[in-house]
PDB file of all heavy atoms in Angstrom:
ATOM      1  N   HIS A 257    -155.707-166.412 -44.686  1.00  0.00           N
ATOM      2  CA  HIS A 257    -156.798-165.706 -44.985  1.00  0.00           C
ATOM      3  C   HIS A 257    -157.973-166.513 -45.617  1.00  0.00           C
ATOM      4  O   HIS A 257    -158.663-166.174 -46.545  1.00  0.00           O
ATOM      5  CB  HIS A 257    -156.502-164.579 -45.898  1.00  0.00           C
ATOM      6  CG  HIS A 257    -155.521-163.598 -45.331  1.00  0.00           C
ATOM      7  ND1 HIS A 257    -155.559-163.058 -44.115  1.00  0.00           N
ATOM      8  CD2 HIS A 257    -154.352-163.217 -45.808  1.00  0.00           C
ATOM      9  CE1 HIS A 257    -154.543-162.230 -43.887  1.00  0.00           C
ATOM     10  NE2 HIS A 257    -153.767-162.362 -44.894  1.00  0.00           N
ATOM     11  N   GLY A 258    -158.125-167.764 -45.089  1.00  0.00           N
ATOM     12  CA  GLY A 258    -159.101-168.678 -45.630  1.00  0.00           C
ATOM     13  C   GLY A 258    -158.753-169.440 -46.922  1.00  0.00           C
ATOM     14  O   GLY A 258    -159.594-170.247 -47.468  1.00  0.00           O
ATOM     15  N   GLN A 259    -157.541-169.237 -47.358  1.00  0.00           N
ATOM     16  CA  GLN A 259    -157.182-169.834 -48.631  1.00  0.00           C
ATOM     17  C   GLN A 259    -156.056-170.859 -48.319  1.00  0.00           C
ATOM     18  O   GLN A 259    -155.160-170.518 -47.541  1.00  0.00           O
ATOM     19  CB  GLN A 259    -156.799-168.859 -49.754  1.00  0.00           C
ATOM     20  CG  GLN A 259    -157.896-167.968 -50.170  1.00  0.00           C
ATOM     21  CD  GLN A 259    -157.486-167.019 -51.287  1.00  0.00           C
ATOM     22  OE1 GLN A 259    -156.251-166.890 -51.546  1.00  0.00           O
ATOM     23  NE2 GLN A 259    -158.405-166.415 -51.893  1.00  0.00           N
ATOM     24  N   LYS A 260    -155.956-171.945 -49.085  1.00  0.00           N
ATOM     25  CA  LYS A 260    -154.910-172.912 -48.834  1.00  0.00           C
ATOM     26  C   LYS A 260    -153.765-172.625 -49.782  1.00  0.00           C
ATOM     27  O   LYS A 260    -153.982-172.414 -50.982  1.00  0.00           O
ATOM     28  CB  LYS A 260    -155.442-174.413 -49.122  1.00  0.00           C
ATOM     29  CG  LYS A 260    -156.406-174.905 -47.969  1.00  0.00           C
ATOM     30  CD  LYS A 260    -156.678-176.294 -48.124  1.00  0.00           C
ATOM     31  CE  LYS A 260    -157.576-176.858 -46.941  1.00  0.00           C
ATOM     32  NZ  LYS A 260    -157.895-178.368 -47.135  1.00  0.00           N
ATOM     33  N   ILE A 261    -152.564-172.619 -49.266  1.00  0.00           N
ATOM     34  CA  ILE A 261    -151.332-172.345 -50.085  1.00  0.00           C
ATOM     35  C   ILE A 261    -150.490-173.679 -50.229  1.00  0.00           C
ATOM     36  O   ILE A 261    -150.226-174.279 -49.060  1.00  0.00           O
ATOM     37  CB  ILE A 261    -150.494-171.282 -49.317  1.00  0.00           C
ATOM     38  CG1 ILE A 261    -151.325-170.052 -49.127  1.00  0.00           C
ATOM     39  CG2 ILE A 261    -149.275-170.994 -50.204  1.00  0.00           C
ATOM     40  CD1 ILE A 261    -151.895-169.318 -50.331  1.00  0.00           C
ATOM     41  N   ASN A 262    -150.329-174.218 -51.385  1.00  0.00           N
ATOM     42  CA  ASN A 262    -149.719-175.418 -51.526  1.00  0.00           C
ATOM     43  C   ASN A 262    -148.238-175.378 -51.792  1.00  0.00           C
ATOM     44  O   ASN A 262    -147.535-176.385 -51.764  1.00  0.00           O
ATOM     45  CB  ASN A 262    -150.316-176.163 -52.738  1.00  0.00           C
ATOM     46  CG  ASN A 262    -151.736-176.523 -52.595  1.00  0.00           C
ATOM     47  OD1 ASN A 262    -152.118-176.951 -51.582  1.00  0.00           O
ATOM     48  ND2 ASN A 262    -152.540-176.290 -53.603  1.00  0.00           N
ATOM     49  N   GLU A 263    -147.764-174.060 -51.982  1.00  0.00           N
ATOM     50  CA  GLU A 263    -146.212-173.914 -52.161  1.00  0.00           C
ATOM     51  C   GLU A 263    -145.802-172.640 -51.392  1.00  0.00           C
ATOM     52  O   GLU A 263    -146.547-171.742 -51.141  1.00  0.00           O
ATOM     53  CB  GLU A 263    -145.922-173.860 -53.624  1.00  0.00           C
ATOM     54  CG  GLU A 263    -146.549-172.710 -54.354  1.00  0.00           C
ATOM     55  CD  GLU A 263    -146.119-172.680 -55.904  1.00  0.00           C
ATOM     56  OE1 GLU A 263    -145.557-173.765 -56.295  1.00  0.00           O
ATOM     57  OE2 GLU A 263    -146.497-171.738 -56.529  1.00  0.00           O
ATOM     58  N   ALA A 264    -144.473-172.692 -51.153  1.00  0.00           N
ATOM     59  CA  ALA A 264    -143.908-171.647 -50.420  1.00  0.00           C
ATOM     60  C   ALA A 264    -142.481-171.274 -50.978  1.00  0.00           C
ATOM     61  O   ALA A 264    -141.876-172.191 -51.542  1.00  0.00           O
ATOM     62  CB  ALA A 264    -143.909-171.719 -48.984  1.00  0.00           C
ATOM     63  N   VAL A 265    -141.993-170.091 -50.824  1.00  0.00           N
ATOM     64  CA  VAL A 265    -140.655-169.779 -51.209  1.00  0.00           C
ATOM     65  C   VAL A 265    -139.576-170.418 -50.274  1.00  0.00           C
ATOM     66  O   VAL A 265    -139.638-170.431 -49.178  1.00  0.00           O
ATOM     67  CB  VAL A 265    -140.429-168.240 -51.125  1.00  0.00           C
ATOM     68  CG1 VAL A 265    -138.958-167.892 -51.493  1.00  0.00           C
ATOM     69  CG2 VAL A 265    -141.338-167.562 -52.072  1.00  0.00           C
ATOM     70  N   SER A 266    -138.769-171.160 -51.040  1.00  0.00           N
ATOM     71  CA  SER A 266    -137.713-171.935 -50.280  1.00  0.00           C
ATOM     72  C   SER A 266    -136.302-171.267 -50.518  1.00  0.00           C
ATOM     73  O   SER A 266    -135.347-171.553 -49.675  1.00  0.00           O
ATOM     74  CB  SER A 266    -137.562-173.393 -50.839  1.00  0.00           C
ATOM     75  OG  SER A 266    -137.416-173.358 -52.233  1.00  0.00           O
ATOM     76  N   LYS A 267    -136.251-170.406 -51.492  1.00  0.00           N
ATOM     77  CA  LYS A 267    -134.825-169.763 -51.748  1.00  0.00           C
ATOM     78  C   LYS A 267    -134.941-168.470 -52.568  1.00  0.00           C
ATOM     79  O   LYS A 267    -135.885-168.383 -53.406  1.00  0.00           O
ATOM     80  CB  LYS A 267    -133.886-170.633 -52.433  1.00  0.00           C
ATOM     81  CG  LYS A 267    -132.545-170.182 -52.668  1.00  0.00           C
ATOM     82  CD  LYS A 267    -131.742-171.056 -53.471  1.00  0.00           C
ATOM     83  CE  LYS A 267    -131.376-172.331 -52.838  1.00  0.00           C
ATOM     84  NZ  LYS A 267    -130.468-173.268 -53.663  1.00  0.00           N
ATOM     85  N   VAL A 268    -134.176-167.566 -52.204  1.00  0.00           N
ATOM     86  CA  VAL A 268    -134.142-166.357 -53.095  1.00  0.00           C
ATOM     87  C   VAL A 268    -132.590-166.156 -53.437  1.00  0.00           C
ATOM     88  O   VAL A 268    -131.751-166.211 -52.550  1.00  0.00           O
ATOM     89  CB  VAL A 268    -134.662-165.051 -52.363  1.00  0.00           C
ATOM     90  CG1 VAL A 268    -134.403-163.788 -53.199  1.00  0.00           C
ATOM     91  CG2 VAL A 268    -136.100-165.206 -52.009  1.00  0.00           C
ATOM     92  N   THR A 269    -132.325-166.014 -54.702  1.00  0.00           N
ATOM     93  CA  THR A 269    -130.920-165.827 -55.197  1.00  0.00           C
ATOM     94  C   THR A 269    -130.740-164.527 -55.834  1.00  0.00           C
ATOM     95  O   THR A 269    -131.530-164.154 -56.763  1.00  0.00           O
ATOM     96  CB  THR A 269    -130.538-166.974 -56.222  1.00  0.00           C
ATOM     97  OG1 THR A 269    -130.856-168.243 -55.618  1.00  0.00           O
ATOM     98  CG2 THR A 269    -129.189-166.918 -56.673  1.00  0.00           C
ATOM     99  N   TRP A 270    -129.715-163.737 -55.456  1.00  0.00           N
ATOM    100  CA  TRP A 270    -129.395-162.600 -56.091  1.00  0.00           C
ATOM    101  C   TRP A 270    -128.059-162.678 -56.818  1.00  0.00           C
ATOM    102  O   TRP A 270    -127.089-163.142 -56.253  1.00  0.00           O
ATOM    103  CB  TRP A 270    -129.174-161.464 -54.978  1.00  0.00           C
ATOM    104  CG  TRP A 270    -130.489-161.007 -54.329  1.00  0.00           C
ATOM    105  CD1 TRP A 270    -131.226-159.979 -54.705  1.00  0.00           C
ATOM    106  CD2 TRP A 270    -131.039-161.378 -53.119  1.00  0.00           C
ATOM    107  NE1 TRP A 270    -132.334-159.759 -53.874  1.00  0.00           N
ATOM    108  CE2 TRP A 270    -132.219-160.721 -52.916  1.00  0.00           C
ATOM    109  CE3 TRP A 270    -130.649-162.479 -52.254  1.00  0.00           C
ATOM    110  CZ2 TRP A 270    -133.037-160.921 -51.822  1.00  0.00           C
ATOM    111  CZ3 TRP A 270    -131.518-162.713 -51.176  1.00  0.00           C
ATOM    112  CH2 TRP A 270    -132.634-161.956 -50.973  1.00  0.00           C
ATOM    113  N   THR A 271    -128.004-162.334 -58.099  1.00  0.00           N
ATOM    114  CA  THR A 271    -126.880-162.448 -58.938  1.00  0.00           C
ATOM    115  C   THR A 271    -126.584-161.127 -59.471  1.00  0.00           C
ATOM    116  O   THR A 271    -127.397-160.428 -60.006  1.00  0.00           O
ATOM    117  CB  THR A 271    -127.125-163.464 -60.018  1.00  0.00           C
ATOM    118  OG1 THR A 271    -127.636-164.734 -59.564  1.00  0.00           O
ATOM    119  CG2 THR A 271    -125.884-163.594 -60.848  1.00  0.00           C
ATOM    120  N   ALA A 272    -125.270-160.685 -59.359  1.00  0.00           N
ATOM    121  CA  ALA A 272    -124.861-159.372 -59.750  1.00  0.00           C
ATOM    122  C   ALA A 272    -124.747-159.395 -61.283  1.00  0.00           C
ATOM    123  O   ALA A 272    -124.058-160.299 -61.929  1.00  0.00           O
ATOM    124  CB  ALA A 272    -123.484-159.065 -59.167  1.00  0.00           C
ATOM    125  N   ASP A 273    -125.257-158.321 -61.902  1.00  0.00           N
ATOM    126  CA  ASP A 273    -125.100-158.160 -63.378  1.00  0.00           C
ATOM    127  C   ASP A 273    -124.123-156.903 -63.560  1.00  0.00           C
ATOM    128  O   ASP A 273    -124.079-156.388 -64.721  1.00  0.00           O
ATOM    129  CB  ASP A 273    -126.461-157.889 -64.072  1.00  0.00           C
ATOM    130  CG  ASP A 273    -127.255-156.868 -63.480  1.00  0.00           C
ATOM    131  OD1 ASP A 273    -126.705-155.982 -62.539  1.00  0.00           O
ATOM    132  OD2 ASP A 273    -128.514-156.752 -63.721  1.00  0.00           O
ATOM    133  N   GLY A 274    -123.424-156.543 -62.539  1.00  0.00           N
ATOM    134  CA  GLY A 274    -122.444-155.437 -62.637  1.00  0.00           C
ATOM    135  C   GLY A 274    -121.267-155.856 -61.793  1.00  0.00           C
ATOM    136  O   GLY A 274    -120.746-157.041 -61.885  1.00  0.00           O
ATOM    137  N   LYS A 275    -120.741-154.990 -60.968  1.00  0.00           N
ATOM    138  CA  LYS A 275    -119.499-155.321 -60.221  1.00  0.00           C
ATOM    139  C   LYS A 275    -119.761-156.025 -58.903  1.00  0.00           C
ATOM    140  O   LYS A 275    -118.840-156.482 -58.335  1.00  0.00           O
ATOM    141  CB  LYS A 275    -118.756-153.824 -59.934  1.00  0.00           C
ATOM    142  CG  LYS A 275    -118.358-153.087 -61.101  1.00  0.00           C
ATOM    143  CD  LYS A 275    -117.577-151.851 -60.629  1.00  0.00           C
ATOM    144  CE  LYS A 275    -117.069-151.082 -61.860  1.00  0.00           C
ATOM    145  NZ  LYS A 275    -116.455-149.801 -61.506  1.00  0.00           N
ATOM    146  N   GLY A 276    -120.966-156.023 -58.544  1.00  0.00           N
ATOM    147  CA  GLY A 276    -121.309-156.694 -57.347  1.00  0.00           C
ATOM    148  C   GLY A 276    -120.981-155.871 -56.067  1.00  0.00           C
ATOM    149  O   GLY A 276    -120.799-154.560 -56.198  1.00  0.00           O
ATOM    150  N   ILE A 277    -120.656-156.576 -54.938  1.00  0.00           N
ATOM    151  CA  ILE A 277    -120.161-155.848 -53.742  1.00  0.00           C
ATOM    152  C   ILE A 277    -118.601-155.796 -53.789  1.00  0.00           C
ATOM    153  O   ILE A 277    -118.003-156.916 -53.575  1.00  0.00           O
ATOM    154  CB  ILE A 277    -120.683-156.552 -52.493  1.00  0.00           C
ATOM    155  CG1 ILE A 277    -122.196-156.866 -52.628  1.00  0.00           C
ATOM    156  CG2 ILE A 277    -120.351-155.748 -51.249  1.00  0.00           C
ATOM    157  CD1 ILE A 277    -122.749-157.696 -51.441  1.00  0.00           C
ATOM    158  N   GLU A 278    -118.079-154.697 -53.918  1.00  0.00           N
ATOM    159  CA  GLU A 278    -116.630-154.576 -54.046  1.00  0.00           C
ATOM    160  C   GLU A 278    -116.017-154.536 -52.708  1.00  0.00           C
ATOM    161  O   GLU A 278    -116.654-154.367 -51.751  1.00  0.00           O
ATOM    162  CB  GLU A 278    -116.387-153.239 -54.801  1.00  0.00           C
ATOM    163  CG  GLU A 278    -116.860-153.186 -56.219  1.00  0.00           C
ATOM    164  CD  GLU A 278    -116.498-151.879 -56.951  1.00  0.00           C
ATOM    165  OE1 GLU A 278    -115.354-151.750 -57.500  1.00  0.00           O
ATOM    166  OE2 GLU A 278    -117.423-151.033 -56.941  1.00  0.00           O
ATOM    167  N   PRO A 279    -114.678-154.805 -52.666  1.00  0.00           N
ATOM    168  CA  PRO A 279    -113.936-154.802 -51.417  1.00  0.00           C
ATOM    169  C   PRO A 279    -114.137-153.473 -50.607  1.00  0.00           C
ATOM    170  O   PRO A 279    -114.153-152.438 -51.132  1.00  0.00           O
ATOM    171  CB  PRO A 279    -112.552-154.965 -51.792  1.00  0.00           C
ATOM    172  CG  PRO A 279    -112.603-155.716 -53.087  1.00  0.00           C
ATOM    173  CD  PRO A 279    -113.810-155.138 -53.834  1.00  0.00           C
ATOM    174  N   GLY A 280    -114.432-153.686 -49.304  1.00  0.00           N
ATOM    175  CA  GLY A 280    -114.568-152.408 -48.474  1.00  0.00           C
ATOM    176  C   GLY A 280    -116.064-152.000 -48.460  1.00  0.00           C
ATOM    177  O   GLY A 280    -116.307-150.872 -47.843  1.00  0.00           O
ATOM    178  N   TYR A 281    -117.042-152.701 -49.049  1.00  0.00           N
ATOM    179  CA  TYR A 281    -118.398-152.253 -49.101  1.00  0.00           C
ATOM    180  C   TYR A 281    -119.329-153.354 -48.601  1.00  0.00           C
ATOM    181  O   TYR A 281    -118.997-154.545 -48.477  1.00  0.00           O
ATOM    182  CB  TYR A 281    -118.805-151.908 -50.466  1.00  0.00           C
ATOM    183  CG  TYR A 281    -118.196-150.665 -50.971  1.00  0.00           C
ATOM    184  CD1 TYR A 281    -116.933-150.673 -51.602  1.00  0.00           C
ATOM    185  CD2 TYR A 281    -118.811-149.405 -50.891  1.00  0.00           C
ATOM    186  CE1 TYR A 281    -116.324-149.440 -52.206  1.00  0.00           C
ATOM    187  CE2 TYR A 281    -118.334-148.251 -51.347  1.00  0.00           C
ATOM    188  CZ  TYR A 281    -117.055-148.247 -51.949  1.00  0.00           C
ATOM    189  OH  TYR A 281    -116.382-147.084 -52.345  1.00  0.00           O
ATOM    190  N   ILE A 282    -120.511-152.937 -48.172  1.00  0.00           N
ATOM    191  CA  ILE A 282    -121.595-153.915 -47.771  1.00  0.00           C
ATOM    192  C   ILE A 282    -122.820-153.725 -48.759  1.00  0.00           C
ATOM    193  O   ILE A 282    -122.875-152.629 -49.402  1.00  0.00           O
ATOM    194  CB  ILE A 282    -121.974-153.716 -46.342  1.00  0.00           C
ATOM    195  CG1 ILE A 282    -122.600-152.339 -46.163  1.00  0.00           C
ATOM    196  CG2 ILE A 282    -120.854-153.998 -45.471  1.00  0.00           C
ATOM    197  CD1 ILE A 282    -123.287-152.324 -44.750  1.00  0.00           C
ATOM    198  N   GLN A 283    -123.694-154.625 -48.697  1.00  0.00           N
ATOM    199  CA  GLN A 283    -124.922-154.403 -49.502  1.00  0.00           C
ATOM    200  C   GLN A 283    -126.108-154.981 -48.706  1.00  0.00           C
ATOM    201  O   GLN A 283    -125.940-156.059 -48.022  1.00  0.00           O
ATOM    202  CB  GLN A 283    -124.839-155.197 -50.861  1.00  0.00           C
ATOM    203  CG  GLN A 283    -126.141-155.207 -51.676  1.00  0.00           C
ATOM    204  CD  GLN A 283    -126.418-153.840 -52.274  1.00  0.00           C
ATOM    205  OE1 GLN A 283    -125.489-153.212 -52.980  1.00  0.00           O
ATOM    206  NE2 GLN A 283    -127.552-153.231 -52.052  1.00  0.00           N
ATOM    207  N   ARG A 284    -127.209-154.316 -48.729  1.00  0.00           N
ATOM    208  CA  ARG A 284    -128.446-154.801 -48.059  1.00  0.00           C
ATOM    209  C   ARG A 284    -129.430-155.239 -49.135  1.00  0.00           C
ATOM    210  O   ARG A 284    -129.747-154.650 -50.184  1.00  0.00           O
ATOM    211  CB  ARG A 284    -128.985-153.602 -47.249  1.00  0.00           C
ATOM    212  CG  ARG A 284    -128.147-153.250 -46.001  1.00  0.00           C
ATOM    213  CD  ARG A 284    -128.812-152.216 -45.165  1.00  0.00           C
ATOM    214  NE  ARG A 284    -128.168-151.931 -43.976  1.00  0.00           N
ATOM    215  CZ  ARG A 284    -127.081-151.252 -43.767  1.00  0.00           C
ATOM    216  NH1 ARG A 284    -126.613-150.618 -44.842  1.00  0.00           N
ATOM    217  NH2 ARG A 284    -126.380-151.026 -42.594  1.00  0.00           N
ATOM    218  N   PHE A 285    -130.047-156.376 -48.845  1.00  0.00           N
ATOM    219  CA  PHE A 285    -130.916-157.020 -49.709  1.00  0.00           C
ATOM    220  C   PHE A 285    -132.325-157.027 -49.046  1.00  0.00           C
ATOM    221  O   PHE A 285    -132.588-157.938 -48.220  1.00  0.00           O
ATOM    222  CB  PHE A 285    -130.462-158.485 -50.120  1.00  0.00           C
ATOM    223  CG  PHE A 285    -129.277-158.502 -50.945  1.00  0.00           C
ATOM    224  CD1 PHE A 285    -128.070-158.541 -50.199  1.00  0.00           C
ATOM    225  CD2 PHE A 285    -129.216-158.449 -52.207  1.00  0.00           C
ATOM    226  CE1 PHE A 285    -126.795-158.427 -50.959  1.00  0.00           C
ATOM    227  CE2 PHE A 285    -128.040-158.388 -53.036  1.00  0.00           C
ATOM    228  CZ  PHE A 285    -126.757-158.474 -52.348  1.00  0.00           C
ATOM    229  N   PRO A 286    -133.221-156.107 -49.340  1.00  0.00           N
ATOM    230  CA  PRO A 286    -134.545-156.048 -48.588  1.00  0.00           C
ATOM    231  C   PRO A 286    -135.496-157.091 -49.130  1.00  0.00           C
ATOM    232  O   PRO A 286    -135.576-157.236 -50.394  1.00  0.00           O
ATOM    233  CB  PRO A 286    -135.032-154.549 -48.910  1.00  0.00           C
ATOM    234  CG  PRO A 286    -133.831-153.848 -49.536  1.00  0.00           C
ATOM    235  CD  PRO A 286    -133.008-154.919 -50.132  1.00  0.00           C
ATOM    236  N   VAL A 287    -136.264-157.648 -48.185  1.00  0.00           N
ATOM    237  CA  VAL A 287    -137.295-158.638 -48.613  1.00  0.00           C
ATOM    238  C   VAL A 287    -138.551-158.423 -47.716  1.00  0.00           C
ATOM    239  O   VAL A 287    -138.391-158.271 -46.493  1.00  0.00           O
ATOM    240  CB  VAL A 287    -136.798-160.022 -48.407  1.00  0.00           C
ATOM    241  CG1 VAL A 287    -137.826-161.098 -48.771  1.00  0.00           C
ATOM    242  CG2 VAL A 287    -135.641-160.302 -49.266  1.00  0.00           C
ATOM    243  N   SER A 288    -139.713-158.406 -48.325  1.00  0.00           N
ATOM    244  CA  SER A 288    -140.943-158.305 -47.542  1.00  0.00           C
ATOM    245  C   SER A 288    -141.453-159.706 -47.368  1.00  0.00           C
ATOM    246  O   SER A 288    -141.514-160.512 -48.433  1.00  0.00           O
ATOM    247  CB  SER A 288    -141.883-157.493 -48.337  1.00  0.00           C
ATOM    248  OG  SER A 288    -143.206-157.505 -47.718  1.00  0.00           O
ATOM    249  N   MET A 289    -141.832-160.094 -46.121  1.00  0.00           N
ATOM    250  CA  MET A 289    -142.235-161.572 -45.913  1.00  0.00           C
ATOM    251  C   MET A 289    -143.288-161.669 -44.866  1.00  0.00           C
ATOM    252  O   MET A 289    -143.467-160.783 -44.041  1.00  0.00           O
ATOM    253  CB  MET A 289    -140.992-162.411 -45.501  1.00  0.00           C
ATOM    254  CG  MET A 289    -140.339-161.839 -44.255  1.00  0.00           C
ATOM    255  SD  MET A 289    -138.944-162.955 -43.661  1.00  0.00           S
ATOM    256  CE  MET A 289    -137.767-162.616 -44.914  1.00  0.00           C
ATOM    257  N   GLY A 290    -144.101-162.788 -44.988  1.00  0.00           N
ATOM    258  CA  GLY A 290    -145.070-163.004 -44.060  1.00  0.00           C
ATOM    259  C   GLY A 290    -145.965-164.132 -44.586  1.00  0.00           C
ATOM    260  O   GLY A 290    -145.848-164.549 -45.650  1.00  0.00           O
ATOM    261  N   ALA A 291    -146.982-164.509 -43.760  1.00  0.00           N
ATOM    262  CA  ALA A 291    -147.109-164.197 -42.368  1.00  0.00           C
ATOM    263  C   ALA A 291    -146.062-164.836 -41.542  1.00  0.00           C
ATOM    264  O   ALA A 291    -145.849-166.047 -41.806  1.00  0.00           O
ATOM    265  CB  ALA A 291    -148.533-164.410 -41.904  1.00  0.00           C
ATOM    266  N   LEU A 292    -145.539-164.085 -40.601  1.00  0.00           N
ATOM    267  CA  LEU A 292    -144.518-164.707 -39.678  1.00  0.00           C
ATOM    268  C   LEU A 292    -145.191-165.752 -38.752  1.00  0.00           C
ATOM    269  O   LEU A 292    -146.274-165.490 -38.306  1.00  0.00           O
ATOM    270  CB  LEU A 292    -143.796-163.688 -38.989  1.00  0.00           C
ATOM    271  CG  LEU A 292    -143.014-162.650 -39.821  1.00  0.00           C
ATOM    272  CD1 LEU A 292    -142.470-161.482 -38.993  1.00  0.00           C
ATOM    273  CD2 LEU A 292    -141.903-163.294 -40.694  1.00  0.00           C
ATOM    274  N   PRO A 293    -144.406-166.810 -38.571  1.00  0.00           N
ATOM    275  CA  PRO A 293    -145.113-167.873 -37.638  1.00  0.00           C
ATOM    276  C   PRO A 293    -145.275-167.419 -36.178  1.00  0.00           C
ATOM    277  O   PRO A 293    -144.530-166.449 -35.785  1.00  0.00           O
ATOM    278  CB  PRO A 293    -143.973-168.993 -37.702  1.00  0.00           C
ATOM    279  CG  PRO A 293    -142.774-168.323 -38.042  1.00  0.00           C
ATOM    280  CD  PRO A 293    -143.149-167.183 -38.982  1.00  0.00           C
ATOM    281  N   GLU A 294    -146.206-168.001 -35.490  1.00  0.00           N
ATOM    282  CA  GLU A 294    -146.549-167.640 -34.181  1.00  0.00           C
ATOM    283  C   GLU A 294    -146.019-168.595 -33.089  1.00  0.00           C
ATOM    284  O   GLU A 294    -146.069-168.405 -31.899  1.00  0.00           O
ATOM    285  CB  GLU A 294    -148.036-167.437 -34.038  1.00  0.00           C
ATOM    286  CG  GLU A 294    -148.649-166.319 -34.937  1.00  0.00           C
ATOM    287  CD  GLU A 294    -150.153-166.110 -34.672  1.00  0.00           C
ATOM    288  OE1 GLU A 294    -150.514-165.865 -33.548  1.00  0.00           O
ATOM    289  OE2 GLU A 294    -150.896-166.315 -35.623  1.00  0.00           O
ATOM    290  N   ASP A 295    -145.499-169.639 -33.654  1.00  0.00           N
ATOM    291  CA  ASP A 295    -145.047-170.772 -32.711  1.00  0.00           C
ATOM    292  C   ASP A 295    -143.553-170.936 -32.615  1.00  0.00           C
ATOM    293  O   ASP A 295    -143.048-171.966 -32.229  1.00  0.00           O
ATOM    294  CB  ASP A 295    -145.649-172.141 -33.187  1.00  0.00           C
ATOM    295  CG  ASP A 295    -145.313-172.460 -34.586  1.00  0.00           C
ATOM    296  OD1 ASP A 295    -144.666-171.562 -35.321  1.00  0.00           O
ATOM    297  OD2 ASP A 295    -145.453-173.626 -35.047  1.00  0.00           O
ATOM    298  N   THR A 296    -142.873-169.796 -32.848  1.00  0.00           N
ATOM    299  CA  THR A 296    -141.418-169.828 -32.712  1.00  0.00           C
ATOM    300  C   THR A 296    -140.941-168.335 -32.386  1.00  0.00           C
ATOM    301  O   THR A 296    -141.669-167.442 -32.718  1.00  0.00           O
ATOM    302  CB  THR A 296    -140.638-170.457 -33.961  1.00  0.00           C
ATOM    303  OG1 THR A 296    -139.295-170.366 -33.720  1.00  0.00           O
ATOM    304  CG2 THR A 296    -140.962-169.436 -35.192  1.00  0.00           C
ATOM    305  N   ASP A 297    -139.798-168.348 -31.793  1.00  0.00           N
ATOM    306  CA  ASP A 297    -139.157-166.976 -31.469  1.00  0.00           C
ATOM    307  C   ASP A 297    -138.232-166.437 -32.471  1.00  0.00           C
ATOM    308  O   ASP A 297    -137.767-165.393 -32.376  1.00  0.00           O
ATOM    309  CB  ASP A 297    -138.580-167.066 -30.013  1.00  0.00           C
ATOM    310  CG  ASP A 297    -139.550-167.269 -28.966  1.00  0.00           C
ATOM    311  OD1 ASP A 297    -140.644-166.849 -29.023  1.00  0.00           O
ATOM    312  OD2 ASP A 297    -139.142-168.024 -27.944  1.00  0.00           O
TER     313      ASP A 297
END
């Protein structure tokens, strides 16, 4: 959007402060991201 960005997110780490994902369960970690590149599929 006309502005230069000198840094970008290289990693996101989620750490459980409770029981975490227990056996027999799954967890979804939602992330909003963009702008997505146009030169790759």
Side-chain angles (χ1 to χ4, degrees):
H257 302 304
Q259 296 183 349
K260 288 187 176 181
I261 306 297
N262 296 316
E263 60 181 11
V265 173
S266 56
K267 181 188 294 186
V268 176
T269 303
W270 288 270
T271 306
D273 54 16
K275 295 182 180 180
I277 309 173
E278 299 180 82
Y281 289 87
I282 65 172
Q283 177 70 53
R284 290 179 174 82
F285 297 86
V287 178
S288 174
M289 62 177 65
L292 300 175
E294 300 182 58
D295 57 351
T296 184
D297 295 327

